[in-house]
Amino acid sequence: MARMQPKSIAVFNSNDIYPISADATLPFEQHRDIFYLSGADQEETILVLFPDAIDAKHREVLFVRETNEHIAVWEGEKLSKEKATEVSEIQSIYWLSDFDKVFFDLMTEAETIYFNTNEHYRQAVELQTREDRFIMACKQKFPAHGVAKSFPILQEIRGVKEAEEIALMQTACDITEKGFRRLLSFIKPGVWEYEIEAELLHEFVRNRSKGFAYTPIIASGNNANVLHYIENNQQCHNGDMILMDVAAEYANYSSDLTRTIPVNGKFTARQKAVYNAVLNVKNEATKLLVPGTLWAEYHKECGKIMTSELLGLGLLDKADIQNEDPNWPAYKKYFMHGTSHHIGLNTHDYGELKTPMKANMVFTVEPGIYIPEEKMGVRIEDDVVIQESGAPFNLMKNIPIEVEEIEELMAK
Ligand code: GLY
Ligand code: MN
Ligand code: MN
């Protein structure tokens, strides 16, 4: 609210519940902005922020769907007004049915309305969201108001995590660790990728996670070379490695882990060389995540570190580097995705990318080397918190990563 213009109002809507067909729906997933700002994890909720409201009780208002005994029997407990105050610390709670009347009144005091459009750098949404519908209706009903964007403010504040958020992300990472450790004694030749998925889900859910933070990638052998492989329906073979990009959510916060391990518990010399090259890049890249680093420069540095590892593995030679296209450097043949992204309430979270990094931003570090001609792909991914000074704090520091550690645990 401190960042809003004078006499302005901001509105945040819940997500829709996505219909499948007939009466079936997908489970509800709250829009992360209204959740971040209010803690309300319920459909059909609207948050209104109006710092200059004449009546102080209208500076923060939450509208929730009216609940009753019938809804309680069929759907369970929904937010009562008291409960809504408890989760949000907002004193003014109205039923959603009062929204049009109350909102019209507030708009007569406001000059500008902040709309929450989705400007995430990776967004590719074709559906009309509840927020989109609200914006369209609002523009029609209040054509004389000025408009402003909430996204840049949310992007900035959500990008720098509070201590409470980092604690929740640590819990998500700890649950992920339990899942991964369970796999080390489970994976062996003949196991199917979906059996691994089932083991993880079991471990996540029994630890009070709702499940995977994103669609899991469980890619044995050559499947690892399909970056977004999510079929997870193949058998794991002796002599192959398996790349697993799998992690738990907790309290709507994501963790994001990748480990690549040998199906039979022992890396071959070549697998170990490629693995340790990726691990080196990860370790060196992590050191660059300090306040002041620019994301674009960081990625250039990561490219240089990767180039040197690829030379060492014999995948590139000096001529490849001399002749490289600066817009598509030679290393991209084997490492074609980014090294880091912000993580938080979204796996690919909000967060400034064009301004210098700040303490308490949380990033993944996830280099990979993909070699289809050798039917192998290795990626290693941890989540780290930038510190005021010194190296970042690794939220996944307890998750086995060294070759020897993984082999020892798999041998048990
Ligand atoms: N699992 C998604 C990512 O690593 O970005
Ligand atoms: Mn990942
Ligand atoms: Mn990631």
Side-chain angles (χ1 to χ4, degrees), residues 214 245 256-258 341 366 379 381:
Y214 51 87
D245 188 340
D256 188 0
L257 172 87
T258 309
H341 55 80
E366 50 178 306
R379 177 165 67 255
E381 175 174 27

Side-chain angles (χ1 to χ4, degrees), residues 12-216:
F12 301 90
N13 280 274
S14 281
N15 274 333
D16 282 315
I17 296 180
Y18 192 83
I20 299 174
S21 57
D23 66 346
T25 59
L26 292 179
F28 174 64
E29 275 291 335
Q30 182 58 299
H31 193 291
R32 297 309 195 236
D33 289 332
I34 187 170
F35 180 74
Y36 177 81
L37 293 167
S38 73
D41 198 352
Q42 186 169 291
E43 70 282 2
E44 296 182 49
T45 306
I46 305 178
L47 172 67
V48 175
L49 301 179
F50 188 12
D52 294 337
I54 292 169
D55 184 343
K57 82 172 198 287
H58 285 149
R59 290 180 186 158
E60 305 172 358
V61 187
L62 195 67
F63 294 86
V64 294
R65 191 184 149 187
E66 181 163 6
T67 190
N68 57 38
E69 303 251 310
H70 175 81
I71 291 173
V73 168
W74 284 82
E75 298 180 39
E77 193 196 2
K78 295 275 166 182
L79 292 175
S80 62
K81 289 189 178 180
E82 296 70 30
K83 189 90 187 165
T85 293
E86 198 182 308
V87 301
S88 66
E89 296 184 20
I90 292 171
Q91 301 305 318
S92 299
I93 312 287
Y94 289 101
W95 295 131
L96 188 63
S97 49
D98 294 327
F99 180 79
D100 285 347
K101 189 166 56 62
V102 176
F103 184 63
F104 183 84
D105 180 47
L106 297 182
M107 283 294 269
T108 63
E109 290 175 30
E111 286 174 2
T112 302
I113 178 159
Y114 278 80
F115 289 133
N116 195 25
T117 47
N118 181 352
E119 295 181 20
H120 189 268
Y121 69 119
R122 294 170 82 140
Q123 74 85 23
V125 185
E126 292 190 359
L127 283 176
Q128 192 177 53
T129 64
R130 205 172 177 83
E131 199 72 70
D132 295 332
R133 294 200 302 280
F134 170 78
I135 292 170
M136 284 201 349
C138 199
K139 277 184 152 171
Q140 251 193 348
K141 199 162 172 189
F142 303 100
H145 282 70
V147 298
K149 303 195 293 187
S150 297
F151 181 82
I153 303 177
L154 265 301
Q155 155 117 311
E156 192 180 323
I157 62 176
R158 275 185 50 186
V160 178
K161 271 61 180 178
E162 310 282 337
E164 292 85 347
E165 298 186 278
I166 292 172
L168 293 170
M169 294 180 75
Q170 182 67 71
T171 304
C173 291
D174 293 346
I175 297 172
T176 297
E177 176 188 352
K178 288 185 179 164
F180 180 66
R181 286 189 182 273
R182 188 181 172 106
L183 297 182
L184 290 172
S185 52
F186 178 78
I187 292 176
K188 52 183 165 318
V191 81
W192 291 77
E193 292 164 352
Y194 55 78
E195 294 181 291
I196 296 170
E197 182 172 334
E199 285 297 299
L200 285 168
L201 188 60
H202 178 101
E203 195 63 31
F204 291 173
V205 173
R206 73 200 284 256
N207 282 287
R208 307 192 62 195
S209 159
K210 280 186 291 183
F212 290 99
Y214 51 87
T215 311

Side-chain angles (χ1 to χ4, degrees), residues 301-313:
E301 280 308 309
C302 293
K304 287 185 197 158
I305 303 165
M306 179 57 88
T307 300
S308 122
E309 293 295 338
L310 293 171
L311 283 167
L313 290 170

